[in-house]
Amino acid sequence: MARERIVLVEDDPDLCQTLAPAIEKEGYEVTVYRTGREGLDGILGRPPDLVLLDLNLPDLDGLSVCRELRDTSAVRDLPIIMLTARVDESDRILGLDLGADDYVTKPFSLRELKSRIRALLRRRALDGGVPEDEYHDRRLGVRRGPLDVSFDGAEVRLTMREFELLWYLITSRPWVVTRERILERVWGLSSEVETRTVDVHVRALRKKLGQEVIETVIGAGYRFRGYP
């Protein structure tokens, strides 16, 4: 059985020498690229199962690489974890807006990173292998396995994380779900991801599926409304 392959796009040689062997010990195949352009070309030439993408890269930064990957149909659903040394929240939020599934801030623990990798790959495998489940209303259609979303009759492309969030809210209806609960069930890391991450992904879903699709319940969380 072929090993799952992870691409690491990182220009720091010391970090590469630490990360690549540690990830390989978990049973993954790891390919390392040192610039944004090399990473983008390598990913498009041989799509991996997951990408670890540094924000600060020579010649083409991580945000630009992420944007191009999400604009390319063959790799649009590829899980992306951003690695960033930037402390400005706006940079991390922009990365999530562009379609990154997760991010970790340097310095980070290897244990944390490995946990996030496992969570994303596990969810990706489930998206391709679970029995078919569907949701339909007068404007929105969602099918899980294979992942398929339509809005007003037109196909909508969601990142894997956006789809997982949408599906969790759909299957939780009519209940209100707290941000903390969403982080636990969708991200699998209840205390290691900022609750702001949930807000960013909800905002992305509203842009793609209409403002009314998810209701904000002040002081409580979110509830799926749909279009009955």
Side-chain angles (χ1 to χ4, degrees):
M1 182 176 179
R3 292 186 296 168
E4 291 174 301
R5 192 169 72 92
I6 294 174
V7 160
L8 170 62
V9 189
E10 171 61 63
D11 66 322
D12 184 335
D14 293 333
L15 185 56
C16 289
Q17 289 176 8
T18 300
L19 278 184
I23 296 171
E24 287 175 339
K25 285 183 180 179
E26 298 296 309
Y28 304 113
E29 176 187 346
V30 180
T31 302
V32 178
Y33 297 104
R34 300 289 293 277
T35 71
R37 177 52 61 187
E38 289 178 356
L40 181 61
D41 291 344
I43 292 166
L44 295 178
R46 186 189 171 203
D49 296 288
L50 182 142
V51 175
L52 299 175
L53 179 62
D54 186 27
L55 269 182
N56 295 312
L57 294 167
D59 76 14
L60 190 66
D61 65 29
L63 293 175
S64 299
V65 173
C66 184
R67 182 184 293 108
E68 292 204 34
L69 292 176
R70 291 306 185 221
D71 287 341
T72 305
S73 59
V75 292
R76 187 172 289 156
D77 299 324
L78 188 63
I80 298 173
I81 299 177
M82 282 195 161
L83 312 177
T84 174
R86 300 179 184 177
V87 296
D88 189 346
E89 183 187 45
S90 63
D91 290 316
R92 302 196 300 271
I93 297 303
L94 179 57
L96 293 169
D97 277 343
L98 289 174
D101 294 284
D102 206 348
Y103 66 83
V104 292
T105 304
K106 301 175 184 176
F108 50 81
S109 73
L110 284 173
R111 181 179 179 183
E112 173 189 353
L113 181 61
K114 291 174 184 177
S115 178
R116 296 188 185 209
I117 290 171
R118 287 193 299 269
L120 272 178
L121 289 175
R122 183 168 58 248
R123 285 171 173 77
R124 189 185 195 212
L126 288 174
D127 281 337
V130 299
E132 183 172 286
D133 292 310
E134 298 186 7
Y135 168 85
H136 294 280
D137 59 33
R138 62 184 176 85
R139 302 186 69 186
L140 179 65
V142 182
R143 185 171 63 174
R144 177 184 176 93
L147 185 155
D148 181 60
V149 180
S150 63
F151 182 60
D152 286 342
E155 180 183 4
V156 178
R157 301 296 301 188
L158 301 183
T159 68
M160 184 175 65
R161 193 70 82 183
E162 289 168 357
F163 184 88
E164 289 171 352
L165 173 57
L166 175 64
W167 190 253
Y168 179 57
L169 291 173
I170 287 174
T171 55
S172 298
R173 68 188 191 279
W175 308 110
V176 176
V177 187
T178 66
R179 290 173 176 82
E180 291 76 15
R181 184 62 173 164
I182 292 171
L183 287 174
E184 179 183 344
R185 294 298 300 272
V186 177
W187 272 261
L189 297 163
S190 59
S191 62
E192 297 176 353
V193 183
E194 297 176 9
T195 54
R196 173 66 172 149
T197 300
V198 177
D199 300 334
V200 170
H201 282 74
V202 168
R203 187 172 69 209
L205 287 174
R206 285 171 172 163
K207 286 181 179 178
K208 296 177 180 181
L209 303 175
Q211 294 298 312
E212 298 82 13
V213 69
I214 297 171
E215 176 187 5
T216 300
V217 181
I218 297 175
Y222 292 107
R223 174 167 50 204
F224 177 79
R225 291 184 61 187
Y227 300 94

